[in-house]
Amino acid sequence: MSEKFLKQPGSTGSEDDVEAKAITETNVQVEPQHGGAHIVDEHEENDLSRSLSQRHIQMIALAGAIGTGLFLSLGGALQDGGPLGALLGYLLVGLVVCAVQFALGEVSALFPVTGSFVRHAELLVDPALGFAIGWNVVYGTYLSIPSEISAVVVLIGFWTEKLEALWITLFILVTFLVGIAFVRFYGEVEFFFATLKILLVTGIIIMGLVIDLGGVPGQDRIGFRYWNNPGPFVEYLASGSWGSFVGFWAVMNNAVYSFAGVESLSVAAAETKSPRQNIPKACKRVFARVFLMYLSSVLIVGMLVPSNDPSLSDDSGTAAQSPFVTAATRAGISVVPSIINAVVLTSAWSSANQSLLAGTRILYGLAIKGQAPKFFLKTTKWGIPYWCVIVQTLVATLAYMSLSNGALTVFYWLLDLTACGTLISWSAILFNHIRMHQALKKQGISSKELPWSNRWTPYSSRVALGACILFLLTGGFSVFVKGNWDTATFISSYLDIPIVITAYLGWKLFKKTKFLSLDEIPIQDALDEMREKPEELIPPARGWKRLNVLWG
């Protein structure tokens, strides 16, 4: 694997020589030679504040990726696929996420714009694709905030079911205040919650090992007992080897849902310090940490809880649903449920905060390109697109629908429309990356000129794109099994696909956009802009800072 940060084409000296050369050239102004187009818009350059550091964006991505999917959904994966089926399912989706993260890092380093892969689609594929993907993400993030706030109320119900409307009002207000404040304040809030989640996951893994190895007084050593009985796989919707494979494949939906959020790492690229260095670093490190934590958690759960345990069918939405709680309860540890419920509660609220950041910044990016009303471009004096935040907060009041059973049903139907949005976003990221490398080849530009590149990513993106399309098309396969039809599952699995296609074709016909030829993709403009406005090099970690395993 070949990796580099801001190396100059043709550099062959040592790392120190490269850094010295880059620092020497920070005052050199290079005029764009390819039409003079500006990749980073003047609104982003002048109106937003570059206040997020590497530790912020890494922990924001961690906070988004480690959420209710890990704490509550592993039970469903274990029940459908068995301990080995769940582990293999998360491993396969994790490898796809690796390809997505590296593709996102390479493209974002070259095009560090607000809106991330949505704006990349306009620069690399077709403005109509950016419109369709962008509004799909905005719709999904806007509805996810009331969804997460409703989840917060359910989690509070683990302790008390009183004053539900008051709790909804409080969390909407606090979410608004975090969204309208300095973006650095948002970064610090997410940094704190991500740290809580990492500590909890680490503690759970250690607790699981202690329980499994017989470290709890009065408890026998478990080992891999449940891999033998009831077995490593579960027969799902069929019998025999085919049933075991179907059970393994059923894990994919849970795994995709669990990993959702890692793609939002670069949506605030224009508000990140030195994005061409920090975003690629974050992409690498966030993936490694999330991947290891998920695989470790899936392995531990599969060792501690049998796949046929009745508690795995719990759908309360509270800590009682977590297989970690089941494992602790079986071991006689009573304090764990409340601890997990408290951290899952912060996870739900943290996810609402992240959805607000992603939704507002992508809407801001759409407004920059004339694909959303221009008033969304207005920012506070500290660089926050306040109309984007206000509108998203108003949509958050849909959380009050959860107080009525009938209204809650309608609300979840609305939410189901975006359930496959994560796979559509991942597919867009991978397609953007493939197009970038095709344009490099067509225009005769070496990938070594990119601010960050890897030799294997052009191939991994193609394989991962095929996998994402396969996951997308088979996401609702269970409804096609005789006697297993479910309208809500079909809608959540497939309806978003024609919505995105309709939005793409509608904008294309309305604005008469065209699919960009490889020669038109502004690779050279982006390289010229990178040299014209070089970033200050980030010094390598020294001393005790090298021991930092979270964001260093």
Side-chain angles (χ1 to χ4, degrees), residues 114-119 130 133-135 137-138 141 267 356-368 372 388:
T114 297
S116 185
F117 57 92
V118 172
R119 294 273 300 284
I133 298 295
W135 277 106
V137 174
V138 167
T141 54
V267 294
L356 190 142
L357 179 77
T360 54
R361 271 41 176 196
I362 288 178
L363 182 57
Y364 181 84
L366 290 170
I368 284 176
C388 296

Side-chain angles (χ1 to χ4, degrees), residues 313-329:
S313 300
D314 188 300
D315 60 354
S316 64
T318 68
Q321 183 178 337
S322 173
F324 298 114
V325 170
T326 299
T329 302

Side-chain angles (χ1 to χ4, degrees), residues 430-442:
L430 294 164
F431 189 53
N432 290 340
H433 181 256
I434 292 169
R435 290 279 294 174
M436 183 183 75
H437 276 274
Q438 288 177 334
L440 284 170
K441 185 176 180 180
K442 178 69 173 179

Side-chain angles (χ1 to χ4, degrees), residues 132-133 135-137 139-140 414-425 472 490-503:
I133 298 295
W135 277 106
N136 189 60
V137 174
Y139 175 69
L414 292 173
L415 190 63
D416 282 343
L417 298 181
T418 62
C420 64
T422 295
L423 285 170
I424 292 176
S425 295
L472 192 60
F490 178 80
I491 290 174
S492 65
S493 300
Y494 297 115
L495 193 56
D496 205 33
I497 299 173
I499 288 176
V500 172
I501 292 174
T502 301

Side-chain angles (χ1 to χ4, degrees), residues 3 5 12 19 39 61 63 73 84 127 143 153 274 280 289 298 309 347 389 395 399 435 461 496 526 541:
E3 300 175 354
F5 290 95
T12 56
E19 289 189 10
I39 303 301
S73 297
L84 182 56
L143 282 182
V153 175
S274 302
R289 289 157 179 74
V298 174
D309 191 295
S347 297
V389 175
V395 176
R435 290 279 294 174
S461 287
D496 205 33

Side-chain angles (χ1 to χ4, degrees), residues 274-292:
S274 302
R276 290 189 172 97
Q277 298 169 79
N278 279 328
I279 288 176
K281 286 181 181 178
C283 286
K284 287 192 302 179
R285 294 168 181 173
V286 164
F287 162 73
R289 289 157 179 74
V290 171
F291 190 53
L292 289 175

Side-chain angles (χ1 to χ4, degrees), residues 199-426:
L199 291 175
L200 176 64
V201 173
T202 304
I204 283 174
I205 291 172
I206 294 173
M207 178 194 75
L209 286 173
V210 171
I211 294 173
D212 186 74
L213 297 175
V216 178
Q219 298 289 326
D220 295 333
R221 182 180 180 275
I222 300 175
F224 284 89
R225 179 185 308 171
Y226 300 128
W227 285 53
N228 294 320
N229 184 24
F233 291 98
V234 170
E235 295 179 358
Y236 180 69
L237 297 179
S239 58
S241 298
W242 176 246
S244 297
F245 174 79
V246 172
F248 152 73
W249 199 257
V251 172
M252 299 306 167
N253 282 339
N254 277 328
V256 169
Y257 172 69
S258 297
F259 280 108
V262 293
E263 71 278 1
S264 63
L265 184 147
S266 65
V267 294
E271 296 166 89
T272 302
K273 298 175 182 176
S274 302
R276 290 189 172 97
Q277 298 169 79
N278 279 328
I279 288 176
K281 286 181 181 178
C283 286
K284 287 192 302 179
R285 294 168 181 173
V286 164
F287 162 73
R289 289 157 179 74
V290 171
F291 190 53
L292 289 175
M293 281 188 282
Y294 267 100
L295 288 186
S296 300
S297 299
V298 174
L299 177 63
I300 292 296
V301 165
M303 293 165 65
L304 296 178
V305 182
S307 58
N308 59 358
D309 191 295
S311 66
L312 297 179
S313 300
D314 188 300
D315 60 354
S316 64
T318 68
Q321 183 178 337
S322 173
F324 298 114
V325 170
T326 299
T329 302
R330 292 169 68 94
I333 304 174
S334 59
V335 72
V336 169
S338 286
I339 294 175
I340 290 181
N341 199 70
V343 177
V344 173
L345 190 153
T346 65
S347 297
W349 182 53
S350 172
S351 296
N353 288 336
Q354 190 192 49
S355 293
L356 190 142
L357 179 77
T360 54
R361 271 41 176 196
I362 288 178
L363 182 57
Y364 181 84
L366 290 170
I368 284 176
K369 307 311 293 183
Q371 296 172 342
K374 289 295 183 184
F375 70 86
F376 286 120
L377 292 174
K378 294 183 179 180
T379 58
T380 62
K381 62 182 179 181
W382 53 88
I384 301 297
Y386 61 88
W387 271 114
C388 296
V389 175
I390 290 171
V391 172
Q392 191 154 2
T393 304
L394 292 175
V395 176
T397 58
L398 289 174
Y400 290 108
M401 295 174 71
S402 64
L403 301 176
S404 163
N405 290 332
L408 183 62
T409 300
V410 175
F411 171 64
Y412 277 117
W413 272 76
L414 292 173
L415 190 63
D416 282 343
L417 298 181
T418 62
C420 64
T422 295
L423 285 170
I424 292 176
S425 295
W426 290 359

